[in-house]
Amino acid sequence: MKVGLVLEGGAMRGMYTAGVLDVFLENGIEFDGIIGVSAGAIFGVNFLSKQKGRVIRYNKRFNRDKNYLGLRPLIKTGNIVDTELAYNKVPRELDIFDDTTYMASKVPFYAVVTNIETGQAEYKQVTSVFEQMDTLRASASMPFVSKPVVIDGNKYLDGAIVDSIPFEKFIEMGYDKLVVVLTKDKDYIKKPMSPFITKAAYGKKYPKFEYRLRQRYAMYNSTMERLKALEQKGEVFVVQPSQRLEMSRIEKDPNKLQALYDLGIKDAQGILEDIREYLNDGR
């Protein structure tokens, strides 16, 4: 029996995921494979490197830096995050990511990216974070405020545009049980984007990607309906925020980041025995 972990994105709402994963790590909850989208990818790799607390630590430390996140790097580089600082200097020098432990885990980790020329999702296995940092960066590169990331001659942006919660991909790949960590509360419904904005930004050069942007709200909401149906049947185990906390996608306030991380810890601790029961049933 193969057990998979599915991690939704949501930019800084991923602090919730970080809290949940740290509880899993502390309590020996293990998986046979992990798939993450956007923040779920860049934060999720820390689960396999066994670096409890790293995600909340470096985000609280660096998000307040105007050169790290926000308008200044957007104007300077075309990316709302300074990619050199965030994806090179921080993990290699300032708050070192343990790629050796990550690779030694032997647990396959997949990051979802969107090919902006085909408008299709691609699922790339990340065997080394340092060697495939561009894949993680592409998965988390939000449209409108990020330059496309070029990998093997193809251009990519945020994987969540096409597949925000890739549980169906893991079912297709043969995972029998899934734990899905969401970053939005039960009442969340995604609303459509303005077609004027999407067409102005991408319509002429990347029409297939622009179509996906316009249809994203419908895709997301229908995906949630299918996920809820599986949850009601007991076929997947869903973890999601028990309450709504106001959080900007590029949140800089360390207190708000900590509050959402703490909520993830609280919620995960509250359902630990239920998760163990779900994972052990049938084994």
Side-chain angles (χ1 to χ4, degrees), residues 35-267:
I35 188 166
V37 186
S38 193
I42 60 174
F43 296 159
V45 292
N46 293 272
F47 180 73
L48 293 184
S49 68
K50 301 186 184 300
Q51 290 176 279
K52 180 176 177 286
R54 180 176 180 270
V55 172
I56 184 63
R57 182 177 66 241
Y58 79 75
N59 278 281
K60 286 176 67 176
R61 177 182 174 186
F62 295 108
N63 280 19
R64 290 174 290 179
D65 185 343
K66 293 180 180 180
N67 293 309
Y68 180 83
L69 174 68
L71 188 60
R72 186 173 294 177
L74 181 61
I75 293 172
K76 182 180 177 181
T77 70
N79 293 296
I80 201 161
V81 176
D82 185 310
T83 56
E84 172 62 22
L85 184 55
Y87 293 99
N88 187 24
K89 194 166 184 179
V90 169
R92 292 179 183 272
E93 300 176 22
L94 302 178
D95 197 320
I96 297 174
F97 178 80
D98 188 349
D99 201 32
T100 300
T101 297
Y102 174 88
M103 290 187 291
S105 76
K106 302 299 183 183
V107 175
F109 188 103
Y110 301 87
V112 187
V113 295
T114 297
N115 185 314
I116 65 173
E117 293 171 317
T118 67
Q120 299 296 315
E122 295 181 17
Y123 307 86
K124 297 182 178 292
Q125 185 173 351
V126 179
T127 55
S128 164
V129 167
F130 285 161
E131 291 180 8
Q132 295 169 268
M133 191 65 80
D134 280 349
T135 297
L136 294 172
R137 181 164 67 90
S139 185
S141 290
M142 296 182 289
F144 307 109
V145 292
S146 305
K147 289 181 177 179
V149 179
V150 179
I151 303 172
D152 297 328
N154 297 311
K155 297 177 181 179
Y156 298 97
L157 284 173
D158 194 342
I161 301 305
V162 178
D163 197 353
S164 296
I165 313 167
F167 65 94
E168 290 170 316
K169 182 63 179 180
F170 253 22
I171 292 173
E172 177 188 314
M173 291 173 67
Y175 286 85
D176 306 286
K177 287 181 175 288
L178 298 178
V179 173
V180 181
V181 182
L182 304 178
T183 57
K184 304 173 186 71
D185 62 271
K186 293 180 183 294
D187 296 326
Y188 179 83
I189 297 176
K190 186 170 286 295
K191 297 178 181 179
M193 292 184 187
S194 166
F196 298 105
I197 295 175
T198 61
K199 288 180 180 179
Y202 298 105
K204 187 174 182 179
K205 197 168 184 180
Y206 305 108
K208 293 179 180 178
F209 180 71
E210 188 274 331
Y211 174 78
R212 289 291 195 167
L213 277 172
R214 280 190 286 117
Q215 293 299 311
R216 188 189 175 197
Y217 79 100
M219 176 277 295
Y220 183 89
N221 294 334
S222 64
T223 296
M224 280 300 303
E225 289 178 3
R226 295 193 297 274
L227 180 62
K228 288 177 181 178
L230 291 178
E231 182 186 21
Q232 289 173 355
K233 294 177 183 178
E235 296 180 15
V236 300
F237 193 103
V238 176
V239 185
Q240 67 185 129
S242 57
Q243 65 185 85
R244 178 176 295 184
L245 294 180
E246 293 301 322
M247 175 72 66
S248 165
R249 292 179 66 83
I250 57 167
E251 187 61 63
K252 297 174 178 248
D253 185 338
N255 294 321
K256 289 185 177 181
L257 297 174
Q258 186 70 51
L260 191 54
Y261 173 79
D262 290 344
L263 181 63
I265 289 178
K266 176 185 174 184
D267 288 353

